[in-house]
Amino acid sequence: MTQYFTEDASVETVNARMGKNINPRLALVMASLVKHLHAFAKEVHLTQAEWDYGIDFLTKTGEICSGERQEFILLSDTLGFSMLVDAINNRRPSGATENTVFGPFHVDGAPELPMGSTICLDGKGEPCLFQGRVVDLDGKPIRGARVDVWSDNADGYYDVQQPDLQPKWNNRGVFVTGEDGAYSFVGIKPVSYPIPDDGPVGQMLAHLGRHPYRPAHMHYLVTAPGFEKLVTHTFVGGDTYLTSDAVFGVKSSLIAPFNQVKDGNTAWVSPFDFVLTPV
Amino acid sequence: MTQYFTEDASVETVNARMGKNINPRLALVMASLVKHLHAFAKEVHLTQAEWDYGIDFLTKTGEICSGERQEFILLSDTLGFSMLVDAINNRRPSGATENTVFGPFHVDGAPELPMGSTICLDGKGEPCLFQGRVVDLDGKPIRGARVDVWSDNADGYYDVQQPDLQPKWNNRGVFVTGEDGAYSFVGIKPVSYPIPDDGPVGQMLAHLGRHPYRPAHMHYLVTAPGFEKLVTHTFVGGDTYLTSDAVFGVKSSLIAPFNQVKDGNTAWVSPFDFVLTPV
């Protein structure tokens, strides 16, 4: 071990500095982080001006953060890092519904509603019936599953982004399944929207030649005793941004049919079954 | 190329999203950054709770930043990343004086003083004569070299950290060499001090079983027409923290003698020659 820092032994020098009695998981994670960060700088021969730019970028990312804005999460999302962590931690058997990113717009405590209720409270958008069943890997209905749903409104904003313009709990609700495992509710056919792009992450996307849009989707958090928590979306088939989601959230298994209805109370119907994995 | 995100193809999926007509250097740097960040998460199987912790850490790092405090630079410094970037960009021929980190405490515009002047203005500390020559790789004196020097005071603080307690330009000065390439000035024998450790980086160091101290050093910025800029320190031989500098700034070639003086105007003398590399 070199005592003093050298370019060649940079990783070993830094990691050898850790104390002997620290949390072993912390030691493992930090040693790997240092190794990969140093490998990055060496691989690209990072210049001093680029380091300056990086420090300034992180500083500006910190400056725009507030109670309502989390730019570091946006950064993680747009680099595919959030989806990767989600994927690593939610490997599921074939047939089980896949996870995707939770996103920043879930709110605890949405009202529990009777099956079939309408969650769209602002009268905007094209009404859509969402329906299906919550089942186990054998297709057996799961009773008592909580189906917590949320989406943007027809203008592309969640209620919490427009507290003065939208009714509280607009396009949100919780539905609990009975014996048949079935769920149904009336929302709107979701619309695509940009992630907040007036900060450093938006500038990064512009420099990378990327747009800030997410394809239209309905959020689901499905929980049931004895089963793994499912955090997912269903995506509107045919959406322009399906193959270029700014946060890489789309999986092909999560693209749902949205069928136009001729005679009915809603303009659209979107069937989708959720298959939960036992814990 | 997979259209949708998968754990296996995460890097390729994210990097394929970049536009075709973007800055090629940006494309190269970002592709490498994404590759190494994803490799880190995969290698350690980063958990969702650890990701949450990381987001919170970066957010707190951003919150403590101000005009006088740059916690992201401290983070880079304490992970050896600043020294690595410095090393990559300042590979020098054998015999040339090595670089080390610039640090956050340099101030432009320090007074240019006659050779031999005293830069310690607060009367604290043990007077030390710093002297030597600025030469080229052949040992030939360099005329007109600007030797810009700065150090903490005897209490371990730079003047800019204590604007109400220390005289302006305390322990700072600029000396310009003549025909003989010689420089000399009277400062104090520097003392070791901790980097600011009341924020997230200080907490990180504590969790890693590391102390926040830097070994005692004098800062130098030496410039001369036709030569590479030299950013370096000289370190006090024998300092307790030489092999555990919190920011990894020590190189063995930069450890200088500090010789006690029996009869003289100063208690110490520290000889050191600076060898510049032609551009």
Side-chain angles (χ1 to χ4, degrees):
Chain A
M1 173 50 48
T2 58
Q3 274 187 302
Y4 301 118
F5 188 93
T6 62
E7 185 179 336
D8 284 348
S10 68
V11 173
E12 295 75 8
T13 308
V14 172
N15 287 338
R17 200 66 71 73
M18 288 190 278
K20 298 301 167 216
N21 297 313
I22 67 172
N23 180 310
R25 174 68 184 168
L26 176 67
L28 186 149
V29 170
M30 289 303 293
S32 178
L33 180 64
V34 167
K35 181 177 78 176
H36 289 289
L37 281 178
H38 285 218
F40 156 65
K42 290 176 185 187
E43 181 172 279
V44 302
H45 196 302
L46 196 72
T47 69
Q48 194 66 48
E50 288 164 348
W51 179 89
D52 290 347
Y53 190 95
I55 294 290
D56 187 56
F57 180 88
L58 289 171
T59 306
K60 286 180 172 150
T61 300
E63 278 169 5
I64 205 171
C65 285
S66 68
E68 293 74 43
R69 177 75 173 258
Q70 229 311 348
E71 196 81 355
F72 287 109
I73 292 184
L74 283 185
L75 181 59
S76 171
D77 290 353
T78 52
L79 296 181
F81 198 78
S82 306
M83 272 301 284
L84 177 60
V85 171
D86 186 76
I88 289 169
N89 290 283
N90 294 286
R91 293 169 185 150
R92 300 234 167 92
S94 172
T97 302
E98 294 186 278
N99 246 44
T100 189
V101 281
F102 192 46
F105 298 121
H106 180 261
V107 181
D108 277 328
E112 189 180 318
L113 303 170
M115 284 300 169
S117 298
T118 293
I119 59 170
C120 173
L121 307 178
D122 64 0
K124 293 180 176 178
E126 301 175 56
C128 178
L129 174 64
F130 295 81
Q131 62 182 11
R133 293 192 313 155
V134 182
V135 298
D136 66 16
L137 286 167
D138 300 321
K140 227 184 99 203
I142 298 174
R143 178 190 181 158
R146 277 178 65 90
V147 182
D148 188 343
V149 307
W150 65 106
S151 82
D152 54 337
N153 78 348
D155 299 324
Y157 294 100
Y158 292 84
D159 59 351
V160 288
Q161 293 179 287
Q162 298 187 314
D164 299 331
L165 293 175
Q166 293 190 36
K168 194 170 164 71
W169 305 119
N170 191 26
N171 292 304
R172 294 177 190 275
V174 175
F175 301 90
V176 180
T177 59
E179 288 289 349
D180 58 0
Y183 75 89
S184 65
F185 63 93
V186 176
I188 61 165
K189 189 184 177 205
V191 301
S192 53
Y193 60 84
I195 61 168
D197 66 343
D198 57 344
V201 170
Q203 283 171 19
M204 179 186 78
L205 291 179
H207 289 309
L208 292 176
R210 289 172 49 184
H211 66 71
Y213 281 85
R214 298 214 62 203
H217 58 276
M218 175 63 71
H219 284 271
Y220 292 90
L221 167 59
V222 185
T223 51
F227 293 90
E228 281 184 9
K229 179 172 76 171
L230 173 65
V231 173
T232 199
H233 314 343
T234 60
F235 292 92
V236 178
D239 190 282
T240 314
Y241 303 111
L242 275 180
T243 56
S244 62
D245 183 354
V247 308
F248 303 96
V250 182
K251 291 175 175 172
S252 54
S253 68
L254 301 176
I255 300 172
F258 278 74
N259 303 318
Q260 217 149 359
V261 178
K262 288 270 166 4
D263 296 313
N265 296 320
T266 61
W268 299 85
V269 59
S270 180
F272 199 89
D273 289 345
F274 296 101
V275 183
L276 301 192
T277 311
V279 285
Chain B
M1 175 50 47
T2 57
Q3 276 187 301
Y4 302 118
F5 187 94
T6 63
E7 184 178 336
D8 284 347
S10 68
V11 173
E12 294 77 7
T13 308
V14 172
N15 287 338
R17 199 65 72 71
M18 288 190 276
K20 297 300 167 213
N21 297 313
I22 66 172
N23 180 309
R25 174 67 183 167
L26 176 68
L28 187 148
V29 170
M30 288 303 292
S32 177
L33 180 64
V34 166
K35 181 177 79 175
H36 289 289
L37 281 178
H38 285 216
F40 156 65
K42 289 176 186 187
E43 181 172 280
V44 302
H45 196 303
L46 196 71
T47 68
Q48 193 67 49
E50 288 164 349
W51 179 88
D52 291 346
Y53 190 94
I55 294 290
D56 187 55
F57 180 87
L58 289 170
T59 307
K60 285 180 172 150
T61 300
E63 279 170 4
I64 205 171
C65 285
S66 69
E68 293 74 44
R69 177 75 174 257
Q70 229 309 349
E71 195 81 355
F72 287 109
I73 292 184
L74 283 184
L75 181 59
S76 171
D77 291 353
T78 52
L79 297 181
F81 197 77
S82 307
M83 273 301 285
L84 177 59
V85 171
D86 186 76
I88 288 170
N89 289 284
N90 296 284
R91 293 170 185 150
R92 300 233 167 93
S94 172
T97 303
E98 294 186 278
N99 247 44
T100 189
V101 282
F102 192 45
F105 296 122
H106 180 261
V107 181
D108 278 328
E112 190 180 317
L113 303 171
M115 285 299 170
S117 299
T118 293
I119 59 170
C120 174
L121 306 178
D122 64 0
K124 293 182 176 177
E126 300 175 55
C128 177
L129 173 65
F130 294 82
Q131 62 181 11
R133 293 192 313 154
V134 183
V135 297
D136 67 15
L137 286 167
D138 299 322
K140 227 184 97 202
I142 298 173
R143 179 193 180 153
R146 277 177 66 89
V147 181
D148 188 343
V149 307
W150 66 105
S151 82
D152 54 338
N153 78 349
D155 297 326
Y157 294 100
Y158 293 85
D159 59 351
V160 289
Q161 293 178 289
Q162 298 187 315
D164 300 332
L165 293 175
Q166 294 190 36
K168 194 170 165 69
W169 305 120
N170 192 27
N171 292 304
R172 294 178 191 274
V174 175
F175 301 89
V176 179
T177 58
E179 289 288 350
D180 58 358
Y183 75 88
S184 66
F185 62 92
V186 176
I188 61 166
K189 188 184 176 205
V191 301
S192 53
Y193 60 85
I195 61 169
D197 66 342
D198 58 342
V201 170
Q203 283 171 19
M204 180 186 79
L205 292 178
H207 287 311
L208 292 176
R210 290 171 49 183
H211 66 72
Y213 280 85
R214 298 214 61 204
H217 57 276
M218 175 64 71
H219 284 272
Y220 292 90
L221 166 59
V222 185
T223 53
F227 294 90
E228 282 184 8
K229 179 171 77 171
L230 173 66
V231 174
T232 199
H233 315 342
T234 60
F235 292 91
V236 179
D239 189 283
T240 314
Y241 302 111
L242 275 181
T243 56
S244 62
D245 184 355
V247 307
F248 303 96
V250 183
K251 292 175 173 171
S252 54
S253 69
L254 300 176
I255 299 172
F258 279 75
N259 303 318
Q260 215 148 0
V261 178
K262 289 268 164 13
D263 295 311
N265 295 321
T266 61
W268 300 85
V269 59
S270 178
F272 199 87
D273 290 345
F274 297 101
V275 184
L276 302 192
T277 311
V279 286

